[in-house]
Amino acid sequence: MKVVRQEISQGFSLDIQTPEGRQVLPATVPGSIHTDLISAGVIGDIRVDGTEAEQEWIRNADSIYATMVPARTAGGVFELKFDGLDTLATVTVNGAVKLQSENMHRAFSIDVTDVAASGFDLGVAFKAPLPEALKRQDEMGKFPNPYDMPYNYFRKMACSFGWDWGPITVTSGIWKPIWLTQWDQGILDEVGLVSDVVNGVPQLHVRTVGRGSVSVVEVVISGHGKEKFVTTTLGRDETITCEGFELWHPRGFGEATLYSVDVYLKDDAGNVVDQFSKRVGFRHLSLDQSNFGSRQMFAICVNGQRVWAKGVNWIPDDPFPHRVTKDQYELRIRDLYSVEVNAIRVWGGGIYESDHFYDLCDELGIIVWQDFLFACAAYPETPAMFAEVQEESHQAITRLGSHASLVMWCGGNECIEGFQHWGWKEPLAGKAWGSTFYMDTLPTSLAKFDGSRPYIPGSPFSTLKEDVKDFSSGTNHIWDVWNDTGYQRYEDYSPSFSAEFGYNGPGSWRTLTKAIGKTTLDSRDADVATHQKAFFGMDKVANGLVREFERDLVEGPAWYFAAQLVQARAVEVGLKHFRSQYETCSGSVLWQYNDMWPAISWAVLDSASSRKLSWYAMREAYRPRVLHFSGVERKLILINDTSEAWSETLKVWLVSESGELLESESRQVTLDARSQSSFALSELFALSDLFSRNGYLIAELDGIRTARRVLDKAVSKVCAHNVELAAEIKGNSVMVHLTANCFIHELSLLPELVALDRVEVSAERITLLPGESIDITIDCSNAADAKKVASQIEEITWSLNRLMN
């Protein structure tokens, strides 16, 4: 018979002790106790308008999921496979314990052959995570991390215990599907696919694991007019050469060509007993770590070509990741694609994402750096932990290894840095802290199950020095900008690869006001502050405003606009600076792209899919062709990251602090393909005392404009906000025609101040010279919001000029 896999998802109940007493509720599988309680109306949804306080009790609550699995027609072997149990689970069948697990990042299976024919009661009891973690901390001693939560004692999503951008949820539940599998002749338990290109010839390494009496395996690789058949034996590793098959290329280097791979387990008569299907792309991966001077490159290379990573860090897109659908992944990944992103780092405090995530990256040519799931902590090196890490990594490598987009593995996030720099050595008192995982366990698994991708033990990491924070090589994390200095500090750095850096600012006005149940935002409001999880975060936002503006900004749309504006400036300057170091720096991976709840955070897209001003700054900085006034000397840098030469007329303007046009110039410039050029201000302007004037520099080339203040000091004055506006409604969109009657800097439309649903603006942070006009489109979710936006177009139109006057 052919293997039958049926999802078990119906009839589940949740038994849980709530503050109001014991409740038995209908349960959704896949799901979690939080989402079942949300559905029952017991708590609010923390992603929308729920609070941490109302759900704090859940982290200490045991729970039981139960259902009756109906009888099946007898014959063969029956097994239950649990794709994901979060986390401290005891599985019972008719009351008998069949499995105990404590790792949400791997699958487990049990045999139920003896009860399948009659049907059986299935129970999954979850021990509350926090009390157990605290108990282990008491027994084993403290293994340090930056937060006062013991997330590092078993294999659970670290950020569910709270992070400096996310809430404490610490949920439990059956977060991935359960499958009832029936088989007799044979079954494919595991198929590993890893592609490579060797001496110019595409290769596919196929590894099969299975059971039963049949052993014939047929592999079919097909697509784009090509097809290859290979017959092999179950359990045998096979390397298949695919001459003439096209290569997979990352974004900007060619087509992301994918082929279908179908693996069939057959009986002696040629009947298919079991099958497995995935897509692969053929490419060769390497790291360029060539030396230059006393430094070393760190460049991801695909098919021998260096890919300059215009990247973002990705966190789980929902506090309860089982809720993230294929459509939600597609919305996010295509949004990233629209801002020229070509690289994503999946951060180690979250999860191994769904295949939907990697499928989209495969299709779009977006390269993925995947952390193993360790973050900012010392981890106990117990036999049980070693066993879990070995099997977890085995399963993760096997599942994800087929994806062409996955180009690098990393041992984890900031764990080695923590040991070296965060004062862990004294509390650890000589205890092993996880280094064996990064230096031995994980690379051993990769050598066994992958072998085609580069690996680094952690990030940050130096490939030349013992100190992982050394900037002469490897990957770097830059956080003094946000914590202490202001974004201009980025321009003092010269990393080989900037893997984390970012600046914190408020999510959308509509997202945050809805979350706190108020009509305005006040930075001094405790309800607002609950959505800022960064250490001293509200103070640091305020410090940034003081550095940028000589005006007291603490509440309302003015505070909101100013705080978003500073975040946007930081994103633009940081990204453009690292891109300007093309010869020595090979990537910038912004922290962070997304949010999981309404937050004041480093994200550029908030949890309700609203684009912050920093999103537009990222789009500006990641476009293939970029202009940037760099450093204190404000050197103008032109970047052409395309395969074609760039020859156009460069225009520059110097505007005084009061908005007076002091000087303008134009010249013809030509940049070769994938090159950059620069001009000192003395080459562009005749004024010799330029740096004594606190004015504005503007440059434009081929319709791309950039602007920056001459001096890095707080703005004290700027000419009045004087613009003419006309708004016309077309369907759910508002077409805005705007004319500047004076110099206008960082003009931004903020329809989220009045719209009740999601809105998108075609352009933000625009600089206009006197007399210039621009057309901007505001796309609303419905006609009612379009009417509101159009009727209040003046109220939602902001600029630096309006902010300071």
Side-chain angles (χ1 to χ4, degrees):
M1 65 171 285
K2 190 173 182 179
V3 175
V4 177
R5 294 177 177 88
Q6 182 179 4
E7 186 172 356
I8 303 299
S9 60
Q10 301 301 308
F12 277 91
S13 63
L14 168 64
D15 187 332
I16 189 168
Q17 186 73 27
T18 75
E20 286 72 41
R22 177 174 175 249
Q23 294 196 42
V24 179
L25 307 169
T28 299
V29 173
S32 65
I33 56 178
H34 278 75
T35 51
D36 287 329
L37 290 166
I38 291 167
S39 296
V42 177
I43 60 171
D45 189 342
I46 202 165
R47 186 174 170 82
V48 182
D49 55 6
T51 67
E52 284 182 293
E54 68 177 329
Q55 50 151 3
E56 185 174 348
W57 61 271
I58 302 173
R59 67 190 70 161
N60 297 307
D62 295 341
S63 56
I64 301 173
Y65 283 83
T67 192
M68 169 60 182
V69 179
R72 297 300 194 273
T73 302
V77 177
F78 286 87
E79 295 169 340
L80 277 181
K81 182 186 178 189
F82 301 86
D83 280 350
L85 298 172
D86 179 13
T87 293
L88 303 173
T90 298
V91 176
T92 59
V93 173
N94 290 335
V97 175
K98 296 293 184 179
L99 170 70
Q100 290 184 303
S101 67
E102 53 180 63
N103 188 341
M104 72 175 284
H105 304 305
R106 56 163 292 198
F108 298 87
S109 293
I110 60 172
D111 191 296
V112 291
T113 305
D114 58 335
V115 294
S118 58
F120 57 92
D121 292 322
L122 174 64
V124 185
F126 289 97
K127 187 182 294 186
L130 185 56
E132 178 63 21
L134 290 169
K135 175 175 172 286
R136 295 188 188 191
Q137 181 175 269
D138 289 342
E139 293 171 350
M140 301 167 66
K142 188 162 187 177
F143 282 77
N145 70 66
Y147 307 102
D148 192 24
M149 291 291 275
Y151 61 82
N152 42 334
Y153 289 85
F154 39 77
R155 304 298 296 148
K156 181 173 173 61
M157 184 174 82
C159 65
S160 70
F161 286 80
W163 219 259
D164 55 5
W165 38 258
I168 300 172
T169 52
V170 200
T171 195
S172 298
I174 305 167
W175 79 289
K176 286 188 175 183
I178 303 172
W179 302 96
L180 179 62
T181 304
Q182 181 183 9
W183 64 276
D184 57 1
Q185 292 174 283
I187 186 170
L188 288 170
D189 290 317
E190 187 176 307
V191 177
L193 304 175
V194 176
S195 66
D196 203 348
V197 179
V198 179
N199 297 323
V201 179
Q203 293 186 352
L204 183 65
H205 184 74
V206 181
R207 179 177 56 83
T208 57
V209 177
R211 292 167 289 158
S213 59
V214 299
S215 60
V216 176
V217 171
E218 184 179 273
V219 181
V220 183
I221 309 167
S222 62
H224 307 281
K226 300 285 186 181
E227 195 166 51
K228 182 138 190 181
F229 295 83
V230 172
T231 300
T232 184
T233 302
L234 184 65
R236 176 179 172 183
D237 290 2
E238 193 78 36
T239 298
I240 304 170
T241 58
C242 298
E243 296 89 346
F245 283 60
E246 297 177 15
L247 302 189
W248 182 93
H249 296 283
R251 181 179 190 179
F253 289 85
E255 294 298 317
T257 305
L258 297 170
Y259 291 90
S260 297
V261 179
D262 296 293
V263 180
Y264 302 100
L265 179 64
K266 294 186 172 183
D267 62 18
D268 293 339
N271 299 310
V272 174
V273 173
D274 200 1
Q275 66 186 80
F276 171 92
S277 298
K278 276 218 171 179
R279 294 183 301 172
V280 301
F282 297 104
R283 75 284 178 271
H284 180 70
L285 305 171
S286 59
L287 280 180
D288 178 1
Q289 295 177 269
S290 55
N291 295 318
F292 62 98
S294 60
R295 294 184 56 186
Q296 193 175 82
M297 294 288 288
F298 188 92
I300 297 168
C301 298
V302 182
N303 301 325
Q305 293 185 288
R306 175 196 187 212
V307 180
W308 209 98
K310 295 184 287 186
V312 292
N313 280 276
W314 174 277
I315 65 169
D317 205 41
D318 193 292
F320 315 109
H322 61 85
R323 295 199 297 192
V324 182
T325 63
K326 181 180 179 180
D327 288 345
Q328 187 170 328
Y329 278 122
E330 182 155 12
L331 179 69
R332 294 286 186 265
I333 300 300
R334 293 198 179 276
D335 181 77
L336 281 169
Y337 193 82
S338 74
V339 289
E340 307 294 339
V341 164
N342 68 358
I344 302 175
R345 175 191 177 212
V346 180
W347 170 74
I351 60 172
Y352 305 107
E353 295 290 343
S354 160
D355 277 296
H356 297 315
F357 174 94
Y358 304 94
D359 285 341
L360 287 161
C361 293
D362 291 344
E363 294 167 9
L364 296 173
I366 297 174
I367 62 174
V368 176
W369 154 348
Q370 177 70 55
D371 280 2
F372 287 101
L373 302 184
F374 298 88
C376 302
Y379 288 82
E381 295 186 12
T382 63
M385 187 71 85
F386 272 114
E388 289 300 334
V389 172
Q390 287 168 352
E391 182 57 24
E392 173 192 319
S393 61
H394 167 200
Q395 292 187 18
I397 295 164
T398 300
R399 178 170 72 87
L400 303 182
S402 62
H403 290 284
S405 57
L406 179 53
V407 300
M408 189 171 78
W409 296 98
C410 174
N413 178 73
E414 295 181 352
C415 298
I416 304 173
E417 177 187 351
F419 180 75
Q420 290 184 353
H421 292 278
W422 296 356
W424 291 359
K425 294 178 183 179
E426 183 176 342
L428 283 170
K431 294 194 294 285
W433 53 275
S435 62
T436 308
F437 300 139
Y438 320 128
M439 301 300 182
D440 181 40
T441 310
L442 296 174
T444 297
S445 287
L446 285 166
K448 185 175 181 180
F449 301 115
D450 186 345
S452 70
R453 294 173 172 89
Y455 168 79
I456 56 174
S459 189
F461 188 74
S462 172
T463 54
L464 283 178
K465 305 288 180 63
E466 182 180 352
D467 184 355
V468 296
K469 294 183 71 173
D470 175 71
F471 268 73
S472 65
S473 65
T475 65
N476 304 114
H477 295 190
I478 300 171
W479 284 111
D480 60 343
V481 167
W482 156 249
N483 287 318
D484 299 307
T485 66
Y487 60 82
Q488 295 83 359
R489 171 71 169 151
Y490 285 133
E491 297 173 306
D492 295 334
Y493 282 108
S494 180
S496 294
F497 193 106
S498 185
E500 269 195 29
F501 63 100
Y503 202 92
N504 185 297
S508 168
W509 178 276
R510 73 176 184 90
T511 304
L512 287 173
T513 52
K514 183 176 182 179
I516 65 173
K518 297 181 179 179
T519 58
T520 192
L521 299 176
D522 187 325
S523 64
R524 301 159 298 186
D525 184 346
D527 290 335
V528 172
T530 61
H531 289 264
Q532 167 67 274
K533 293 298 183 179
F535 299 120
F536 307 106
M538 296 308 289
D539 291 338
K540 291 173 184 178
V541 170
N543 292 341
L545 298 182
V546 170
R547 285 192 294 264
E548 298 292 304
F549 313 107
E550 285 191 7
R551 184 183 168 191
D552 192 23
L553 298 163
V554 295
E555 64 180 322
W559 171 81
Y560 168 75
F561 173 59
Q564 281 216 1
L565 198 58
V566 175
Q567 183 189 21
R569 291 177 179 179
V571 167
E572 180 183 3
V573 168
L575 292 178
K576 286 185 173 182
H577 171 67
F578 297 132
R579 288 195 67 194
S580 74
Q581 297 185 316
Y582 181 85
E583 297 301 325
T584 57
C585 177
S586 295
S588 58
V589 186
L590 180 69
W591 188 273
Q592 68 212 57
Y593 167 67
N594 55 329
D595 256 333
M596 61 163 56
W597 78 314
I600 304 169
S601 81
W602 296 270
V604 298
L605 188 83
D606 81 4
S607 58
S609 302
S610 293
R611 296 167 174 175
K612 297 159 73 168
L613 292 183
S614 54
W615 184 95
Y616 296 88
M618 182 173 72
R619 182 176 68 177
E620 168 68 23
Y622 273 167
R623 67 169 72 239
R625 290 170 169 170
V626 170
L627 284 66
H628 178 48
F629 287 106
S630 177
V632 293
E633 73 280 5
R634 295 300 192 259
K635 178 170 60 176
L636 178 62
I637 296 176
L638 313 177
I639 300 172
N640 178 24
D641 189 21
T642 74
S643 58
E644 297 179 355
W646 192 17
S647 183
E648 292 288 344
T649 300
L650 172 66
K651 301 175 183 178
V652 295
W653 297 266
L654 175 63
V655 175
S656 73
E657 191 174 31
S658 59
E660 176 189 1
L661 180 60
L662 300 177
E663 191 175 342
S664 64
E665 187 60 75
S666 63
R667 65 173 66 196
Q668 192 72 14
V669 297
T670 299
L671 279 76
D672 294 334
R674 303 202 188 280
S675 71
Q676 60 181 275
S677 182
S678 64
F679 297 91
L681 290 188
S682 60
E683 298 177 75
L684 300 174
F685 299 105
L687 284 172
S688 59
D689 62 344
L690 189 147
F691 283 100
S692 67
R693 302 168 182 267
N694 195 13
Y696 300 83
L697 300 162
I698 303 103
E700 183 176 306
L701 183 64
D702 196 18
I704 299 170
R705 178 174 286 190
T706 192
R708 191 173 180 184
R709 288 171 55 78
V710 174
L711 301 177
D712 291 322
K713 58 184 293 188
V715 178
S716 59
K717 61 179 180 179
V718 64
C719 57
H721 176 81
N722 187 354
V723 296
E724 295 178 14
L725 291 162
E728 180 184 0
I729 298 174
K730 289 187 176 180
N732 291 343
S733 297
V734 180
M735 319 304 290
V736 182
H737 182 75
L738 187 147
T739 301
N741 293 325
C742 64
F743 170 72
I744 297 291
H745 190 45
E746 295 179 305
L747 178 95
S748 303
L749 302 182
L750 308 178
E752 66 270 24
L753 295 176
V754 297
L756 297 180
D757 211 334
R758 184 170 180 258
V759 286
E760 287 185 4
V761 183
S762 60
E764 297 280 30
R765 293 183 64 238
I766 301 157
T767 295
L768 295 172
L769 296 168
E772 289 187 330
S773 298
I774 190 170
D775 293 308
I776 301 172
T777 301
I778 304 173
D779 290 321
C780 302
S781 296
N782 53 69
D785 273 350
K787 186 176 180 180
K788 283 184 181 179
V789 168
S791 66
Q792 299 181 65
I793 193 65
E794 291 190 2
E795 289 90 334
I796 69 167
T797 301
W798 282 78
S799 65
L800 178 67
N801 310 62
R802 179 179 174 184
L803 187 67
M804 298 306 298
N805 287 286

